[in-house]
Amino acid sequence: MKYDIVVIGGGPGGAVAAKTCAEKGLNVLLIEKRSRIGDPVRCGELIPGYILKEFDIGIKDCYNEASNFEWVSPEKQKVCFNFLCYMLDRRVFDSDLVSRAEDAGADVWLKSRASGLIPGEREGKSVFSGIKISKYGENVDVRADIIVAADGVESQVGRMAGIDTSLKLKDIASAAAAVVKGVNTEEGVLKNYYLRDFAPGYLWIFPKGENKANVGVGFLPTKKIKPITLLKYYMKKMVELREGKICYYTSGGVPMALRLEKLFFKNILFVGDAARLSDPISGAGLSQAMVSGKLAADTAVKSIEYDDVNILKNYDWQWERKIYESWQFEQYTIKELFLSMDTYSRLKFLEGLWSTAARERVYPFRLSNVIKQRNTQLKLLKILIQNNRLRRWAALGEPLRWLRRRGASWKL
Ligand code: FAD
């Protein structure tokens, strides 16, 4: 059996990649190890409105609009923003995306797990000529020109290919999300409550209409506590959640890392969480998964059209050109700064960020805000110097030029 493209993983990243390739007339197979797309839901289900527009996704009855975002610090300082978002039903959203790929002509296999890669050769170069799949427990080999690894946070494709894509413990946050009914939340208002002992970890309360909400916690792995235990604690503590009953909950890891140094390896393209593209402070990764799925697919189409595997390298700089690249490095630097502090200093630092953000009406987690906090400049410099990738990013001048413009007093 032979396909032009095999996509591993039926999340948003994989679905967009499969749809884009199939629309361009390629022969595409998407495999998903679960028996149902998008189930169980491991998500806060929040997506920016512009992404739905960019991908021409219609608003369904079960998607709720919300445009007021409130970030509340442990000392109850508030930063409020207006930003059009939608609360999704991820089961509906994910299956819808996969159906679009199917409608465009992609084959979709459920209960099919990628279990290995088949080494091969093309144009004198070592590549992977296909993948080994366990389909409903039966072993099937499928040949493919290009493989898209969209297998999420626990991605194993890198390991199968012989490269290290594992996450360090400090680069993975613990999170639990629950859909709760009977809550007393304000419709259209999204709330992030930052947690005193877990800064910059937070509790989110995202209303879904009809007194339902997606409620969850996410925090860096500095304290040994199960996320669901913490979530249940806050459900008792917060007035608006006290009467709530959990319909279902899930917990999982969220990459809080820098993206893979290379988003391709031989003829494999990594997208979404598998490529570690999510935001290292908020944990959000849906938009990045979809955008990277599209960019990877566009590159794969070109590579097949010109019958040139070298074209796959373009995917890397195409991602780099996107705003996410610099944003992720900035957010990662701030995350590392938090990790370098004890609980008390973190709390003070967070309150400092909030004071400036509330006064200047800016997003709290920006380097421009960080450098205004006392005692952080030296620590920041140390982090930029000690981490090779951050140093290279800093040496490109972008953050430095930008920090100096905003009054940083040191030189690198
Ligand atoms: P995934 O959605 O994880 O999809 C990967 C798929 O690959 C899965 O279906 C998996 O079953 C499949 N798979 C894995 N291995 C194999 C294999 N070997 N063979 C076949 N299939 C395989 N982001 C936001 O933007 N907004 C939020 O509100 C938000 N809240 C979150 C809350 C929690 C608790 C968590 C854990 C994450 C949250 N995120 C949020 C992050 C977001 O869910 C991910 O960034 C996004 O789902 C990444 O999409 P993806 O397609 O890369 O991977």
Side-chain angles (χ1 to χ4, degrees), residues 106-169:
D107 286 344
V108 175
W109 293 359
L110 298 179
K111 263 200 132 186
S112 301
R113 174 193 295 269
S115 55
L117 297 169
I118 306 165
E121 207 187 90
R122 203 176 331 144
E123 299 155 22
K125 281 197 169 129
S126 138
V127 290
F128 296 100
S129 61
I131 68 172
K132 293 178 179 293
I133 300 172
S134 161
K135 184 184 181 188
Y136 283 92
E138 253 181 56
N139 294 329
V140 186
D141 285 359
V142 172
R143 287 176 5 93
D145 289 334
I146 293 170
I147 296 157
V148 175
D151 52 336
V153 60
E154 287 141 22
S155 179
Q156 294 293 312
V157 178
R159 196 179 54 80
M160 292 173 197
I163 52 170
D164 183 14
T165 56
S166 59
L167 281 162
K168 290 192 185 116
L169 212 60

Side-chain angles (χ1 to χ4, degrees), residues 8-14 31-34 38 42-47 90 94 112-115 150-153 156 160 175-177 204 206 217 250-254 271-274 278 283-289:
I8 305 172
I31 60 164
E32 167 56 52
K33 68 177 181 185
R34 299 179 190 162
R42 269 194 201 151
C43 196
E45 305 183 288
L46 184 69
I47 196 163
R90 272 259 343 234
D94 285 23
S112 301
R113 174 193 295 269
S115 55
D151 52 336
V153 60
Q156 294 293 312
M160 292 173 197
W204 69 80
F206 297 162
V217 288
T250 49
S251 45
V254 184
V271 310
D273 276 7
S278 55
L286 271 174
S287 337
Q288 295 93 314

Side-chain angles (χ1 to χ4, degrees), residues 93-105:
F93 182 72
D94 285 23
S95 10
D96 212 37
L97 287 182
V98 170
S99 304
R100 285 164 153 239
E102 257 182 319
D103 292 347

Side-chain angles (χ1 to χ4, degrees), residues 367-410:
L367 278 182
S368 54
N369 191 0
V370 166
I371 56 157
K372 289 180 189 149
Q373 311 311 312
R374 276 203 201 143
N375 308 330
T376 50
Q377 289 197 3
L378 267 180
K379 273 202 177 101
L380 183 64
L381 187 60
K382 210 165 147 193
I383 284 163
L384 286 176
I385 289 172
Q386 280 176 347
N387 180 308
N388 285 342
R389 293 180 67 191
L390 292 179
R391 192 170 62 234
R392 264 183 270 141
W393 172 64
L396 285 176
E398 194 181 338
L400 277 188
R401 256 183 273 126
W402 187 68
L403 285 173
R404 285 210 193 101
R405 271 207 305 273
R406 283 163 177 79
S409 53
W410 39 262

Side-chain angles (χ1 to χ4, degrees), residues 8 13 33 42 149-160 163-173 252-264 269-293 315-316 319-320 323-332 335 389-390:
I8 305 172
K33 68 177 181 185
R42 269 194 201 151
D151 52 336
V153 60
E154 287 141 22
S155 179
Q156 294 293 312
V157 178
R159 196 179 54 80
M160 292 173 197
I163 52 170
D164 183 14
T165 56
S166 59
L167 281 162
K168 290 192 185 116
L169 212 60
K170 73 174 181 70
D171 285 341
I172 182 158
V254 184
M256 297 276 169
L258 288 175
R259 69 141 164 115
L260 294 184
E261 282 206 74
K262 286 205 183 325
L263 296 181
F264 65 94
L269 300 171
F270 292 88
V271 310
D273 276 7
R276 317 304 183 208
L277 298 179
S278 55
D279 181 322
I281 288 275
S282 71
L286 271 174
S287 337
Q288 295 93 314
M290 293 169 71
V291 172
S292 60
Y315 169 47
D316 225 306
W319 177 261
E320 224 168 86
I323 183 159
Y324 300 112
E325 177 84 355
S326 198
W327 175 263
Q328 202 199 31
F329 274 67
E330 184 179 336
Q331 298 301 294
Y332 186 78
K335 183 214 87 172
R389 293 180 67 191
L390 292 179

